[in-house]
Amino acid sequence: MDGVEERVGGEEREERARASGEGDRVCLVPWAEGDLWLLRRTNAPEMTAHLGGPETEEQLAVRHRRYVELEPGRMYRITLADGGGTVGSIGYWQRTWQGAEVWETGWAVLPEFQGRGLAARAARAAGPHRYLHAFPSVGHAASNAVCRRAGFTLLGQADFEYPKGHRIRSNDWRVDLKRGD
């Protein structure tokens, strides 16, 4: 992927896909036991305002365990390829959407790294299903901009419960991984 590398077992592997190539190159590092700190950093009110607010420490521990064990799919830390450190997280997981198996993606970029196109470059990494969907809140301008910049197509809106007990109106963004549109 232009601008994205995946680190596996200490080695870096560049993945090929269409991306802007502008700005910083990012690496995707598979989520590991030691990454709970990143969930804590992204649990701030300003980063969770469109997701129902911050989670408790117990909820974070449960989510961390889910990230470590996620199958099918995978969670990653997003790091700068030049060794500039961790900038956020991104992942994909399988879901049934409108009668088909698709990948869903979600990301969080730390405030000091937002606005640089890092999530857009990382958002094109996914698995073997044809479609990758993102469902940001309709009011979350930054996440909707990530989808546009990463080449997703807006299909419409959908209602979700996320987290449990919190209703959210989301945009349904999709990219065709086979066609690369």
Side-chain angles (χ1 to χ4, degrees):
M1 166 180 272
D2 293 342
V4 178
E5 298 173 356
E6 181 179 359
R7 289 185 180 163
V8 180
E11 296 179 16
E12 294 181 9
R13 176 172 57 89
E14 187 167 336
E15 299 203 354
R16 316 233 343 123
R18 234 183 328 222
S20 70
E22 297 171 10
D24 300 305
R25 291 177 54 84
V26 298
C27 292
L28 302 181
V29 180
W31 198 267
E33 287 293 339
D35 293 333
L36 179 58
W37 70 270
L38 183 54
L39 281 179
R40 289 181 177 129
R41 279 280 323 271
T42 61
N43 195 42
E46 63 274 11
M47 292 196 65
T48 60
H50 296 280
L51 300 171
E55 294 176 296
T56 66
E57 186 64 25
E58 181 178 308
Q59 289 169 319
L60 288 177
V62 168
R63 186 153 53 106
H64 172 65
R65 176 63 29 221
R66 194 171 61 244
Y67 284 7
V68 169
E69 298 170 353
L70 185 61
E71 281 190 37
R74 172 151 267 176
M75 287 300 297
Y76 297 94
R77 271 187 310 111
I78 305 169
T79 65
L80 294 177
D82 67 4
T86 297
V87 301
S89 65
I90 192 162
Y92 62 92
W93 49 92
Q94 187 171 279
R95 84 167 314 155
T96 302
W97 179 245
Q98 299 178 338
E101 292 301 311
V102 300
W103 289 119
E104 179 179 354
T105 188
W107 56 84
V109 174
L110 296 170
E112 62 269 30
F113 296 103
Q114 292 175 0
R116 293 168 52 178
L118 302 172
R121 281 192 285 287
R124 302 237 0 149
H129 293 305
R130 178 167 184 176
Y131 296 110
L132 175 67
H133 287 258
F135 299 100
S137 166
V138 295
H140 196 316
S143 284
N144 284 286
V146 165
C147 291
R148 269 189 300 280
R149 188 170 181 176
F152 285 64
T153 300
L154 179 60
L155 300 179
Q157 295 183 355
D159 290 317
F160 287 96
E161 183 178 22
Y162 185 85
K164 189 172 177 134
H166 179 77
R167 299 297 300 169
I168 183 172
R169 183 82 173 151
S170 297
N171 282 323
D172 178 7
W173 292 91
R174 182 182 80 181
V175 65
D176 185 333
L177 298 169
K178 302 248 188 264
R179 290 190 2 203
D181 63 350

